[in-house]
């Protein structure tokens, strides 16, 4: 999904992949620190994370912005272009692997691939399968013990427990277990 396909107010996460020339890793890592500081000063920036496999020459930047418009402003900025000019001859962006997501797609992404997110109805059904058992358990185990709590605190308990479980445990497991169904090609 490109940033132009997303709605203006949705947060957007984009992953950039860089192929670094062997022996140039130190220079590239210095560059990542500088461009990260520059990006953080841009309006709407919500963070940059860098990932690197120890045995390879590929680096991945996970860039988060508050909305596609602000991401676009960063991507088209003079500052970013100047930083990119500094890396010439050291690393090359693998533009064919650039990915942008705005919502639940991040739960269904396959690392190292450019596979499109599954249809939304499949994401909704899979999320329901993951969320329902935990919703049931929270209602059964925790709710009876929190009836005396103020409403804002009771309401906070549910997402504090459920969202980390879904994000870090349940959805990665479900997306792997159901990958053949989720990512089935139309002619399968």
């Amino acid at each position: 999904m490109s940033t132009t396909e997303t709605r203006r107010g949705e947060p957007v996460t984009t992953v950039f992949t860089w192929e670094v020339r062997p022996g140039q890793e130190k220079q590239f890592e210095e560059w990542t620190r500088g461009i990260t500081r520059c990006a953080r000063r841009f309006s709407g920036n919500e963070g940059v994370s860098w990932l690197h496999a120890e045995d390879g020459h590929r680096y991945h930047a996970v860039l988060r912005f508050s909305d596609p418009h602000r991401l676009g402003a960063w991507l088209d900025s003079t500052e970013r272009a100047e930083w990119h000019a500094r890396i010439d001859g050291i690393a090359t962006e693998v533009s064919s692997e650039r990915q942008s997501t705005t919502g639940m797609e991040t739960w269904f992404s396959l690392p190292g691939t450019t596979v499109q997110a599954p249809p939304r109805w499949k994401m909704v059904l899979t999320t329901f399968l993951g969320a329902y058992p935990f919703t049931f358990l929270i209602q059964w185990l925790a709710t009876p013990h929190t009836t005396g709590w103020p409403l804002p605190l009771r309401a906070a308990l549910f997402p504090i427990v459920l969202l980390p479980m879904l994000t870090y445990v349940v959805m990665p497991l479900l997306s792997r277990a159901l990958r053949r169904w989720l990512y089935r090609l139309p002619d399968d």
Side-chain angles (χ1 to χ4, degrees):
M1 175 180 296
S2 73
T3 57
T4 58
E5 293 172 332
T6 61
R7 288 178 289 217
R8 187 170 177 91
E10 288 184 356
V12 61
T13 301
T14 301
V15 178
F16 298 90
T17 300
W18 291 89
E19 184 73 33
V20 179
R21 288 192 177 175
Q24 301 292 318
E25 294 83 3
K26 185 175 179 179
Q27 292 88 338
F28 183 78
E29 289 173 6
E30 289 173 13
W31 177 83
T32 65
R33 289 187 284 279
I35 195 169
T36 297
R37 282 190 301 273
C38 183
R40 285 183 179 149
R41 291 191 299 265
F42 252 73
S43 176
N45 181 280
E46 295 182 350
V48 181
S49 300
W50 285 91
L51 308 169
H52 172 242
E54 291 181 21
D55 59 349
H57 298 286
R58 286 203 175 196
Y59 288 72
H60 306 278
V62 181
L63 180 65
R64 293 172 302 283
F65 267 84
S66 60
D67 61 73
H69 177 71
R70 290 189 172 133
L71 171 64
W74 161 249
L75 294 175
D76 297 335
S77 71
T78 303
E79 295 92 333
R80 181 176 181 268
E82 289 170 355
W83 276 98
H84 277 242
R86 295 179 190 180
I87 203 70
D88 193 38
I90 294 174
T92 307
E93 182 187 350
V94 184
S95 58
S96 64
E97 292 189 16
R98 185 185 290 187
Q99 300 175 25
S100 291
T101 59
T102 58
M104 290 181 6
E105 294 94 344
T106 57
W107 277 348
F108 297 94
S109 63
L110 299 174
T113 69
T114 56
V115 173
Q116 292 294 319
R120 287 184 183 245
W121 71 269
K122 287 185 177 184
M123 290 191 287
V124 168
L125 184 57
T126 304
T127 304
F128 175 80
L129 291 173
Y132 180 77
F134 286 96
T135 303
F136 182 83
L137 285 173
I138 291 168
Q139 293 294 323
W140 179 48
L141 298 173
T143 303
H145 302 289
T146 62
T147 55
W149 294 11
L151 180 59
L153 193 56
R154 283 192 323 239
L157 177 68
F158 186 80
I160 285 172
V161 173
L162 183 65
L163 295 179
M165 284 299 297
L166 285 176
T167 301
Y168 293 108
V169 179
V170 177
M171 296 312 293
L173 290 173
L174 274 177
S175 63
R176 274 194 298 270
L178 300 175
R179 70 183 171 274
R180 292 185 195 275
W181 175 71
L182 286 167
Y183 303 101
R184 181 178 300 166
L185 297 174
D187 57 345
D188 281 356

